[in-house]
Amino acid sequence: MQKKIETVKTLLEALPFIKEFNKEIVVIKYGGSAQTSPQLKEKFAEDILLMYLVGIRPVIIHGGGSKITEMLDALSIETKFIEGQRVTTKEVMRIAEMILSGEINKDLVSLLNSHGAKAIGVSGKDAHFITAKAKDFAKWGLTGNITNVKAEVINNLMAEKFIPVIAPIAAGDEMGHPGFNINADLCASYVAKAIGANKIIFLTDTSGVLDEDKKLLDTLTKAQVKKLKSDGTIHGGMVPKVDACLEAINGGVKKAHIIDGRLEHSMLLELFTSEGIGTQIVK
Ligand SMILES: Nc1ncnc2c1ncn2[C@@H]1O[C@H](COP(=O)(O)OP(=O)(O)OP(=O)(O)O)[C@@H](O)[C@H]1O
Ligand SMILES: [Mg+2]
């Protein structure tokens, strides 16, 4: 009996947060680094389902850079990065689309649906809802910068109670264009801005943004981000992530968090407890 009372107490503790986020849109960037074990993926699916069932409207954007690199290696195609961004030749674009839209997206959609969700997978090419142009074709090929997000596509899916799962691929404007490979972190923030998300959460493979002594920074401002980037404390895959957080909060998203995807139920800890976890980027 005591145990049951504890369960009820726990539920009641979450009540203010459930109220706060009722009908709010929460965008989740599910990093490739956080998708490592089948067990973690199960927990992720449970968290999304719980969020959905208490009235939150989740929208998922997934990454998958390491799987693209794995496949390129298997096919003996060279992987090249310039300034942390993948060089996307036409051949690499084909593989990126196969892995992102074909494999990872469908895996994630199936996983969520097998848990009882109504998830639907799309990429920016579906209904042409994300368009891009080349960042610098001579340098990065088909790696794109987003030029437009048609919010109504995602809004319509949410209105029909779907959980949209988005692969970070954009359509090009010209007829027959192979499309663009876009950074998943920035894709998440552009989508979050366009659909008026309340919150954006980046699930990754560190406890958050770490300082030079590897200590977790629980809050970061724009000025701090600038400094940590310029002295190299924030580097590699963390650069687009903090940029994406700033992009989101400048675009009207209320809160941006970078949290540990290796930690079971980290999203629920962030959403439904007063302490929160990871790093919060503030205006
Ligand atoms: N100051 C920092 N604090 C924490 N991590 C950092 C920092 N600077 C760089 N990093 C690196 O950023 C990585 C996270 O970005 P990464 O792009 O690898 O993952 P992801 O975005 O979650 O996955 P994917 O790119 O596949 O979607 C960390 O594993 C770490 O190596
Ligand atoms: Mg990344």
Side-chain angles (χ1 to χ4, degrees), residues 29 185 237 241:
K29 154 70 194 323
D185 296 331
K241 221 176 293 300

Side-chain angles (χ1 to χ4, degrees), residues 29-35 61-67 104 168 183-185 202-212 214-215 217 228 232-242 258-259 262 279:
K29 154 70 194 323
Y30 189 35
S33 318
Q35 300 169 22
I61 287 96
H62 59 81
S66 58
K67 280 206 167 161
I104 300 178
N183 179 280
D185 296 331
F202 294 84
L203 281 176
T204 186
D205 66 347
T206 68
S207 50
V209 181
L210 309 177
D211 68 10
E212 62 274 23
K214 305 277 174 231
K215 257 189 59 206
L217 296 159
L228 293 168
T233 307
I234 292 178
H235 58 272
M238 196 49 75
V239 174
K241 221 176 293 300
V242 289
I258 298 172
I259 69 170
R262 301 165 307 175
T279 303

Side-chain angles (χ1 to χ4, degrees), residues 39-138:
Q39 226 165 321
L40 271 178
K41 284 199 202 166
E42 291 286 323
K43 303 293 172 199
F44 172 80
E46 284 172 10
D47 289 5
I48 295 289
L49 197 66
L50 194 139
M51 284 162 68
Y52 176 79
L53 292 174
V54 299
I56 292 173
R57 293 185 289 166
V59 174
I60 301 164
I61 287 96
H62 59 81
S66 58
K67 280 206 167 161
I68 298 172
T69 303
E70 247 172 57
M71 183 55 86
L72 292 175
D73 285 347
L75 296 169
S76 308
I77 301 168
E78 188 196 6
T79 293
K80 223 170 125 188
F81 280 89
I82 299 178
E83 291 156 33
Q85 300 272 353
R86 186 183 295 278
V87 176
T88 311
T89 61
K90 222 170 165 183
E91 200 180 22
V92 172
M93 185 63 214
R94 264 184 81 199
I95 308 297
E97 185 156 37
M98 281 182 208
I99 297 291
L100 294 170
S101 279
E103 186 183 345
I104 300 178
N105 191 279
K106 294 309 154 211
D107 260 7
L108 202 49
V109 166
S110 307
L111 174 76
L112 291 165
N113 289 337
S114 64
H115 277 79
K118 215 174 95 169
I120 192 163
V122 289
S123 88
K125 283 190 178 178
D126 290 285
H128 236 69
F129 97 93
I130 304 173
T131 43
K133 62 175 174 32
K135 252 177 104 64
D136 176 347
F137 190 80

Side-chain angles (χ1 to χ4, degrees), residues 165-185:
V165 178
I166 303 169
I169 300 275
D173 281 327
E174 307 126 48
M175 183 86 82
H177 191 281
F180 289 103
N181 175 23
I182 47 182
N183 179 280
D185 296 331

